[in-house]
Amino acid sequence: MENYEVQVQQQTGKITCDFEGAKAYLSARLDEYRNVVFTEDSKKDAKATVASLRKEKKAFADKVKEVRDEYMKPLQEFADKAKELVDMYDQPINFINEQVSAFEQRRIEEKRLQINELYQDCLGDMQKELPLQKIYNSKWENSTVNPTQIRREMMERKETVKQGMEAIRQMHSDVEDRAISMFLESYDLTKTILYINQYQQQQNEIRAREQERIRREEEERIRREERMKLEAEQREREALEKAEREKQEAIAAAEAEKQAAVQQAIEETAQEVIDSMIPADLEGESNLYEYRLALTADAKEKLETYLTSVGIDWELI
């Protein structure tokens, strides 16, 4: 069937109005009252004038509405009939379009089955890492995209993901499993490597802090042991010094006791000797004798004591 173009013609409508006469009338009325000062006496006339002007204004507004409605009647009639024609156009359009859509839907379903078969063939060993719904490209459903193109894209995606996973494993990170899971969520290798590097940096910082803590604790332990060693050595020296002092004091005490005993024995022996040498009779004739002796001060003192003790008269010359 040949195309048909609906013929539509329009004639310009015309509406007349005495705009200029109305403007002149209203200007004259405005000039009439421009300099008028209304008073209590003229208030009634002013109200009447306002009421008259409002009545004239309403009459003109009503006339404008009446004219507009009458002027729009042909347009409204045309629009109603035109809508009927538009609706009639929709009937064959919708009928044909439904069949085209159904045909297109069947084609898409067949293409989807073909895409699934290609997926099973290309990614059979990596379906877990590359689910079809995550790599599905709706453009594959277009009739202009052939199976070779789809297969190539699937294989490229598969190879990209395999290389990405291998790159992650080559980093030998403690969070390898988490990193691979993250990569398979978005297939963003740059983001995943950044995560691994940040984690590694955090771990390095933690290890560095731990090593620093251990180093400080070890230094403190060494200082503490050195202090304890010095304190022990000091206590040992003090104990040795004390023991030496006590030993020396004991020796000195023993020596003093010995010297005292010897002195006492000497004194007792000397006294016995002296007693044995004292003449029994001191009333006999005495003679004068002179001796020259070389003595120490101590010996001199003891000699003088002895001479005195045995009753010998002497004088130092």
Side-chain angles (χ1 to χ4, degrees):
M1 181 179 291
E2 296 182 357
N3 292 340
Y4 177 79
E5 182 179 354
V6 179
Q7 302 297 316
V8 179
Q9 296 180 353
Q10 178 184 2
Q11 295 181 353
T12 303
K14 185 176 181 181
I15 299 173
T16 60
C17 177
D18 184 16
F19 287 110
E20 297 302 324
K23 286 182 180 179
Y25 165 73
L26 290 173
S27 295
R29 295 297 300 270
L30 179 60
D31 290 340
E32 181 181 350
Y33 296 107
R34 188 183 301 277
N35 297 317
V36 174
V37 177
F38 291 96
T39 64
E40 185 66 27
D41 295 335
S42 60
K43 180 173 68 173
K44 183 177 180 181
D45 293 337
K47 289 183 176 181
T49 301
V50 169
S52 176
L53 290 171
R54 285 177 174 169
K55 183 177 179 181
E56 292 175 4
K57 174 184 175 183
K58 181 179 185 303
F60 177 70
D62 291 344
K63 189 61 178 179
V64 169
K65 182 178 182 301
E66 178 185 345
V67 171
R68 183 183 62 216
D69 291 345
E70 190 66 24
Y71 188 86
M72 293 296 292
K73 280 183 179 180
L75 177 62
Q76 187 62 47
E77 291 176 359
F78 169 76
D80 292 342
K81 292 179 179 179
K83 184 178 184 303
E84 182 181 0
L85 285 178
V86 169
D87 292 342
M88 290 182 68
Y89 270 112
D90 286 339
Q91 293 178 15
I93 289 173
N94 293 337
F95 177 76
I96 296 170
N97 192 52
E98 286 177 0
Q99 295 189 51
V100 171
S101 297
F103 174 78
E104 180 64 12
Q105 185 61 37
R106 286 194 299 272
R107 186 196 66 78
I108 291 174
E109 292 298 330
E110 292 174 358
K111 191 65 174 288
R112 287 174 178 171
L113 291 174
Q114 186 180 51
I115 291 170
N116 187 64
E117 291 175 358
L118 290 170
Y119 172 77
Q120 297 293 333
D121 183 44
C122 295
L123 290 100
D125 59 339
M126 287 191 66
Q127 292 185 29
K128 181 179 179 181
E129 292 80 5
L130 286 161
L132 178 59
Q133 66 270 19
K134 291 193 69 174
I135 66 171
Y136 197 90
N137 191 339
S138 59
K139 76 171 186 176
W140 293 344
E141 298 175 358
N142 296 339
S143 59
T144 56
V145 180
N146 58 55
T148 301
Q149 292 174 286
I150 299 173
R151 178 185 294 275
R152 182 172 62 251
E153 289 186 20
M154 286 184 176
M155 294 302 295
E156 288 175 353
R157 177 61 69 88
K158 176 181 178 181
E159 186 62 25
T160 299
V161 171
K162 286 178 66 176
Q163 291 177 0
M165 294 174 64
E166 182 61 23
I168 294 170
R169 293 190 178 100
Q170 288 297 322
M171 298 182 73
H172 303 293
S173 173
D174 295 340
V175 290
E176 179 179 299
D177 293 341
R178 176 68 186 97
I180 289 178
S181 297
M182 178 184 292
F183 174 64
L184 294 179
E185 288 173 4
S186 62
Y187 305 118
D188 189 337
L189 183 59
T190 301
K191 178 181 177 181
T192 304
I193 291 177
L194 178 61
Y195 164 74
I196 295 173
N197 290 337
Q198 288 177 342
Y199 171 82
Q200 192 61 44
Q201 182 179 355
Q202 291 174 353
Q203 292 302 111
N204 291 340
E205 291 174 355
I206 292 172
R207 280 194 291 268
R209 288 195 297 269
E210 181 64 15
Q211 290 172 358
E212 178 62 17
R213 182 189 66 79
I214 294 174
R215 184 189 64 79
R216 289 197 301 268
E217 290 181 354
E218 181 64 14
E219 289 179 350
E220 178 60 26
R221 184 189 64 78
I222 293 173
R223 286 194 295 269
R224 184 169 59 252
E225 290 180 354
E226 288 178 350
R227 286 196 303 270
M228 293 173 64
K229 181 180 178 181
L230 291 173
E231 291 172 358
E233 291 176 350
Q234 179 66 23
R235 289 193 298 270
E236 185 177 357
R237 284 195 301 272
E238 291 175 354
L240 291 173
E241 291 174 356
K242 180 179 179 182
E244 183 63 23
R245 285 195 305 271
E246 291 177 350
K247 177 181 178 182
Q248 294 300 324
E249 289 174 358
I251 292 173
E255 185 64 24
E257 184 178 352
K258 178 181 178 182
Q259 291 294 329
V262 170
Q263 184 63 33
Q264 182 178 359
I266 292 173
E267 291 177 356
E268 291 176 352
T269 304
Q271 187 62 43
E272 292 177 356
V273 172
I274 292 170
D275 291 342
S276 65
M277 293 177 65
I278 297 175
D281 184 9
L282 296 178
E283 300 299 329
E285 183 179 355
S286 61
N287 297 313
L288 179 62
Y289 301 95
E290 292 185 6
Y291 295 88
R292 186 178 298 275
L293 303 173
L295 303 171
T296 64
D298 184 57
K300 170 181 172 294
E301 183 180 353
K302 291 180 178 179
L303 178 60
E304 291 174 349
T305 300
Y306 170 71
L307 293 175
T308 302
S309 66
V310 296
I312 298 174
D313 294 329
W314 62 275
E315 66 177 324
L316 183 64
I317 60 174

